[in-house]
Amino acid sequence: MSDTMTIQEESDHFSPYRADGKLYGFVCVVTGADMPVGGAIVTELAAHGAACIYACTTSSPSTNNLQSTLAATYPNTKVIDYPYSISSEQDTLTLIDEALNAWGRLDVWVCSSGLLGPPSIDQTTPADLQNCFEANSLAPFFALKYAPHAMQKTTPKGSYTNAAPKDHRYGSIIVVSSTASTYGGCWGPCFTMSSHAALGVVRSGVAVLKGTGVRINAISPGQIDVGVSLNGFDARGGNLQLPPAELQSPQSQKMNIGLERAGLPKEVGRVAGFLASGFSSYITGANMVVDGGASVMCPLMVPI
């Protein structure tokens, strides 16, 4: 069977059934690692044997303590706290070069750097709209444009911990968006517009990536409990990725969500782990909706 037809399960180094982890040896990038969902994704990738994870944050130095926490739990995974501007093309290129120079490979790129923005059009300025598009769709565009070239590189086994050879072209780009990617009403206009654009990057990426061995998929979370209290909540959404779960009362959640509760960041992280691994080897261009069934029950629900 030719290299282009070989699926991941037929390579010992990419089998999701490896006893040492379905992501053993992978070199990964996760943006928005200082947000709850991004941090949960970093944790999930480390739990399944990734060799290295660039945990990209927007602050320098980062106040994120994820690196030290995971070092104790998963000592064989190198978690690098990496300051990164999601709107910088040069930062993207520099990060890719650093990963290749240090590890010789790049396997997974997760864009989890979304931005909520203001809840109404009256409150939305052109700058707000620009910021949302940069966070929600420009960052995935840079990943689609530049990461696949690095992901196609193969390499022998390195000398670092959790090293594995990369014997065929492989890559997974994962765009964390929102259920606002498919309908409106869950927050303000710029969140909906830019989330639709993020899904557009994923849809257009399927044709772009033909023949490369690289896949691209979206995750659209619904109501996720990101640990934000409404007490002191910035209603303009300038520092949040998803609406606070507290915007819906427990009674409203029970009525409008199939599983009768808000989701957890780690439940989004598990889907990212699936899309990063060989378990999803025939999935590309998909939008994995992680909302507890809310969009099926009431697709135009407005949080209250």
Side-chain angles (χ1 to χ4, degrees):
M1 186 176 288
S2 68
D3 287 343
T4 57
M5 293 297 291
T6 301
I7 63 173
Q8 293 156 241
E9 288 84 352
E10 292 174 328
S11 168
D12 290 339
H13 309 301
F14 283 89
S15 171
Y17 295 102
R18 287 186 64 134
D20 42 17
K22 65 184 179 184
L23 304 177
Y24 188 85
F26 282 25
V27 174
C28 312
V29 170
V30 179
T31 70
D34 47 351
M35 295 180 173
V37 171
I41 292 172
V42 173
T43 302
E44 180 72 12
L45 301 183
H48 291 284
C52 171
I53 305 169
Y54 287 87
C56 298
T57 62
T58 56
S59 56
S60 179
S62 172
T63 56
N64 185 28
N65 62 0
L66 188 63
Q67 183 180 28
S68 57
T69 301
L70 293 182
T73 310
Y74 307 108
N76 291 331
T77 297
K78 178 71 172 178
V79 178
I80 300 174
D81 191 349
Y82 193 92
Y84 171 79
S85 172
I86 55 175
S87 61
S88 171
E89 187 173 26
Q90 186 56 53
D91 274 14
T92 302
L93 293 170
T94 299
L95 173 52
I96 291 172
D97 284 344
E98 289 188 16
L100 289 179
N101 290 334
W103 311 94
R105 61 188 288 176
L106 179 63
D107 304 285
V108 176
W109 190 293
V110 183
C111 294
S112 183
S113 48
L115 186 63
L116 192 57
S120 72
I121 197 164
D122 291 337
Q123 295 174 286
T124 303
T125 66
D128 291 324
L129 186 61
Q130 179 68 30
N131 289 338
C132 280
F133 270 104
E134 286 181 357
N136 297 335
S137 57
L138 183 61
F141 167 76
F142 285 150
L144 174 62
K145 185 174 177 65
Y146 296 116
H149 301 288
M151 290 175 170
Q152 292 178 77
K153 294 184 180 296
T154 57
T155 182
K157 183 178 179 179
S159 57
Y160 48 86
T161 306
N162 278 21
K166 185 170 184 175
D167 55 6
H168 71 274
R169 297 181 301 170
Y170 170 80
S172 178
I173 299 171
I174 302 165
V175 178
V176 181
S177 183
S178 160
T179 48
S181 64
T182 56
Y183 60 87
C186 64
W187 193 252
C190 67
F191 183 57
T192 298
M193 292 164 64
S194 56
S195 295
H196 273 67
L199 186 57
V201 174
V202 172
R203 302 296 199 215
S204 64
V206 175
V208 171
L209 296 173
K210 282 192 66 175
T212 66
V214 179
R215 300 178 291 111
I216 184 168
N217 293 286
I219 302 176
S220 288
Q223 201 71 286
I224 303 297
D225 186 355
V226 292
V228 176
S229 169
L230 291 181
N231 183 24
F233 162 58
D234 175 13
R236 287 184 58 82
N239 58 356
L240 293 178
Q241 181 179 12
L242 296 167
E246 283 191 13
L247 286 174
Q248 278 193 309
S249 66
Q251 294 80 5
S252 181
Q253 290 178 12
K254 190 168 184 178
M255 180 181 299
N256 294 307
I257 299 175
L259 295 179
E260 300 185 334
R261 62 172 177 85
L264 299 173
K266 66 181 180 182
E267 293 177 304
V268 181
R270 290 168 181 167
V271 179
F274 165 72
L275 290 174
S277 76
F279 282 122
S280 58
S281 59
Y282 199 56
I283 299 176
T284 191
N287 184 23
M288 310 291 285
V289 176
V290 185
D291 71 347
S295 57
V296 176
M297 292 187 65
C298 187
L300 293 179
M301 177 186 63
V302 179
I304 56 175

